[in-house]
Amino acid sequence: MSKPIVAVVGRPNVGKSTFFNKVVGRRVSIVEDTPGVTRDRIYAEAEWNGIYFALIDTGGIEPDSEDVILSQMREQAQIAMDMADVILFMVDGRDGMTHADQEVGNMLRRTGKKVILLVNKIDNPRNLPADFYDFYELGIGEPIAISAANMLNFGDVLDEIVESFPDGAGDDDEDSIKVAVIGKPNVGKSSLINVLLGENRVIVSPIAGTTRDSIDSPFAWGGDEYILIDTAGIRRKSKVNEDIERYSVIRAIAAIERCDVCLLMIDAEEGITDQDKKIAGVAHEAGKGIVVVVNKWDLIAKETNTMRDFKREIEAELQFMSYAPSVFISVKDKQRVFDVIKMTKYVAEKRAMRVPTGQLNSLITDATMMKQPPSDKGKRLKIYYVAQIGVKPPLFSFQINKRDLMHFSYARYLENKIREGFGFEGTSIKFVFREKG
Ligand code: GDP
Ligand code: GDP
């Protein structure tokens, strides 16, 4: 299921990343080591009272001048307005209101989105600075005084965030498959999108007006409906050079969060880059379906094993998602372009698949007989019962004797067995471990 998106916007040094880390820090981290963007503090999953959402820190790199700060903030605000369900606008209560705050406030005031104004660094809430009330002038509602460093007033902020999610945010539109086309500039995303939309003129104009889908394009193929996410965002370029990569990554992350299947486009001549790996890591952690689309295959001189060798490179570079299928296409020559859609559908189906509990448990029993579960200080891991408790992505609950005994490598082994036994190509699968009391 796609989660509501909450984006944090604000000047450098107001405390955005402190806030981000504190909110996210409460969450138990995922055991796996994926090269996700999580470590760069751009994106993380957060939770409050059982409601999950994606938190995105839109902050840019340290700018050196007031001009750069302003253009960075405009870019942040634009991303937030395009993508987020709720925008957190953070200002610094010690500095008081600045010109940049006013500019961004003007932009955000005009959006139809929910904006929450956070005045940070109010370490002593009983002693509000005199100019605190200036922030009312921004016209975006009641400022909330917080101290990110001390987590003061976090309960109020988190309550307000989750109460502000629009109805239906995070719900699945069961009938259509949401697809995000992700990749570096010039790999051929627009070309692919044009072919997909252009040759499938069911509805080609973007739907406007809905709170979050203003730039989504629906199309139909082979009797199925698809929604292409964020095509406009991909086209827009940042004026601040050093930030182009960061902002395109942030946009990509927001699009991934909303999709069912992510098409990771790779340039056949360039191979897989670090940025591709980061993006793939986010899709993996977010539990999305993924198809690796190698484009510009026409430019490659083919020898007997060219495709096999390329597949091996993909496997080596994207080891953490060896389940992702790849398709080799040339948008230019219209070669295998619609295989991309067939594969998208296939992966979406696998991601939504449910397996029978009986078969699942006998598969796990067999697996534990083939490879003994780990033990520690004479105590051995016991798995009593397994059930699939969710789809999109497939989620399995294991009843076990002791959580500490479930080592990552053994969980990985069981994951591979489940994949071998049932398929689940193209989708990450998730486990929860519950101790039987
Ligand atoms: P960002 O650039 O907006 O991500 O800001 P950071 O999170 O990096 O914070 C900038 C500085 O403000 C750091 O030195 C933080 O320790 C400090 N800071 C953040 N939150 C608070 C707060 O609630 N109170 C005080 N006094 N300082 C804070
Ligand atoms: P985007 O920046 O990812 O949206 O990439 P574009 O769709 O704008 O394509 C970038 C360039 O690559 C354009 O000049 C395209 O004509 C070219 N291109 C796209 N697909 C192919 C392909 O399959 N083969 C070749 N040779 N060029 C391609």
Side-chain angles (χ1 to χ4, degrees):
M1 195 178 75
S2 74
K3 296 181 284 293
I5 295 174
V6 179
V8 191
V9 175
R11 278 187 299 124
N13 284 317
V14 298
K16 296 182 299 299
S17 46
T18 305
F19 175 82
F20 187 92
N21 288 333
K22 296 279 186 185
V23 170
V24 171
R26 309 179 316 122
R27 171 185 171 238
V28 192
S29 75
I30 298 168
V31 276
E32 280 174 79
D33 182 29
T34 47
V37 187
T38 329
R39 244 152 270 118
D40 301 351
R41 297 180 283 105
I42 296 179
Y43 161 93
E45 186 178 80
E47 176 265 339
W48 180 245
N49 288 340
I51 299 173
Y52 287 83
F53 55 94
L55 193 60
I56 296 181
D57 179 359
T58 62
I61 53 169
E62 284 297 287
D64 43 16
S65 73
E66 215 32 54
D67 281 2
V68 180
I69 291 183
L70 250 184
S71 59
Q72 273 196 357
M73 287 183 70
R74 289 208 184 91
E75 183 73 25
Q76 291 180 38
Q78 194 59 55
I79 293 173
M81 293 193 295
D82 287 348
M83 302 288 189
D85 294 292
V86 175
I87 299 168
L88 304 181
F89 179 26
M90 187 175 290
V91 295
D92 187 323
R94 292 186 172 181
D95 292 353
M97 185 139 71
T98 68
H99 175 62
D101 293 339
Q102 273 168 325
E103 290 275 328
V104 174
N106 282 337
M107 281 178 80
L108 294 178
R109 193 171 49 240
R110 288 192 289 263
T111 176
K113 304 270 165 102
K114 170 74 180 182
V115 182
I116 302 175
L117 176 58
L118 304 178
V119 183
N120 189 32
K121 307 194 189 177
I122 308 291
D123 299 337
N124 180 358
R126 268 167 301 185
N127 189 10
L128 291 180
D131 52 6
F132 178 84
Y133 299 94
D134 292 351
F135 291 113
Y136 279 92
E137 287 169 26
L138 291 171
I140 41 185
E142 187 110 2
I144 305 181
I146 65 165
S147 166
N150 304 300
M151 298 180 77
L152 288 178
N153 253 349
F154 270 34
D156 286 357
V157 174
L158 288 163
D159 280 346
E160 179 138 1
I161 291 172
V162 300
E163 279 163 20
S164 309
F165 291 146
D167 287 346
D171 282 359
D172 269 324
D173 182 346
E174 289 294 339
D175 293 337
S176 45
I177 299 169
K178 296 198 217 74
V179 188
V181 182
I182 304 295
K184 292 200 311 168
N186 275 321
V187 341
K189 295 180 297 298
S190 318
S191 308
L192 175 66
I193 287 164
N194 286 340
V195 173
L196 296 181
L197 296 181
E199 296 190 356
N200 295 276
R201 295 183 181 279
V202 176
I203 322 168
V204 284
S205 59
I207 325 169
T210 50
T211 46
R212 56 190 294 169
D213 293 341
S214 52
I215 43 179
D216 293 350
S217 309
F219 69 96
W221 195 77
D224 295 299
E225 287 175 24
Y226 298 84
I227 295 176
L228 218 42
I229 287 175
D230 181 36
T231 55
I234 288 165
R235 264 179 257 123
R236 196 182 297 124
K237 300 261 147 74
S238 168
K239 283 180 209 77
V240 187
N241 268 332
E242 317 86 80
D243 270 0
I244 288 179
E245 178 175 325
R246 185 179 168 97
Y247 286 130
S248 64
V249 170
I250 293 172
R251 285 187 184 283
I253 289 170
I256 289 170
E257 189 48 63
R258 296 180 46 220
C259 78
D260 297 303
V261 179
C262 170
L263 303 181
L264 179 63
M265 272 187 105
I266 308 284
D267 188 315
E269 286 191 314
E270 284 185 37
I272 293 178
T273 64
D274 286 346
Q275 188 178 331
D276 295 328
K277 279 196 232 180
K278 277 188 182 179
I279 295 284
V282 171
H284 171 76
E285 287 199 6
K288 303 303 178 170
I290 186 149
V291 178
V292 179
V293 178
V294 181
N295 188 32
K296 308 196 185 179
W297 199 239
D298 57 285
L299 297 179
I300 301 294
K302 277 104 185 158
E303 321 259 329
T304 325
N305 293 323
T306 311
M307 199 181 283
R308 192 201 63 189
D309 292 346
F310 208 107
K311 278 193 171 156
R312 283 194 183 155
E313 184 196 326
I314 296 173
E315 268 163 35
E317 295 289 335
L318 302 179
Q319 253 178 34
F320 59 97
M321 50 181 351
S322 51
Y323 53 81
S326 44
V327 186
F328 294 75
I329 68 168
S330 164
V331 179
K332 181 170 151 272
D333 295 350
K334 304 258 161 80
Q335 195 188 6
R336 288 189 290 268
V337 173
F338 286 97
D339 285 3
V340 173
I341 294 303
K342 283 185 210 155
M343 195 53 93
T344 300
K345 186 184 179 197
Y346 178 73
V347 165
E349 281 170 356
K350 294 292 172 192
R351 192 165 165 266
M353 182 168 76
R354 277 185 196 277
V355 301
T357 308
Q359 277 178 39
L360 178 64
N361 280 279
S362 45
L363 181 138
I364 295 297
T365 307
D366 289 351
T368 54
M369 284 193 307
M370 265 188 285
K371 182 172 173 174
Q372 227 184 18
S375 65
D376 186 35
K377 301 191 190 84
K379 204 169 164 82
R380 189 167 297 285
L381 172 72
K382 283 201 195 82
I383 301 170
Y384 302 114
Y385 184 73
V386 190
Q388 184 178 357
I389 57 170
V391 293
K392 299 184 181 181
L395 174 63
F396 297 90
S397 159
F398 285 70
Q399 257 192 29
I400 60 179
N401 56 340
K402 203 162 173 4
R403 213 173 279 136
D404 294 349
L405 292 171
M406 180 59 87
H407 294 165
F408 171 60
S409 60
Y410 201 72
R412 176 51 71 88
Y413 163 74
L414 295 175
E415 178 185 332
N416 288 336
K417 287 292 165 197
I418 290 177
R419 284 187 187 287
E420 277 169 30
F422 298 108
F424 290 117
E425 282 99 335
T427 176
S428 63
I429 60 181
K430 308 259 174 193
F431 290 170
V432 289
F433 302 111
R434 298 194 169 130
E435 286 181 10
K436 194 168 145 181

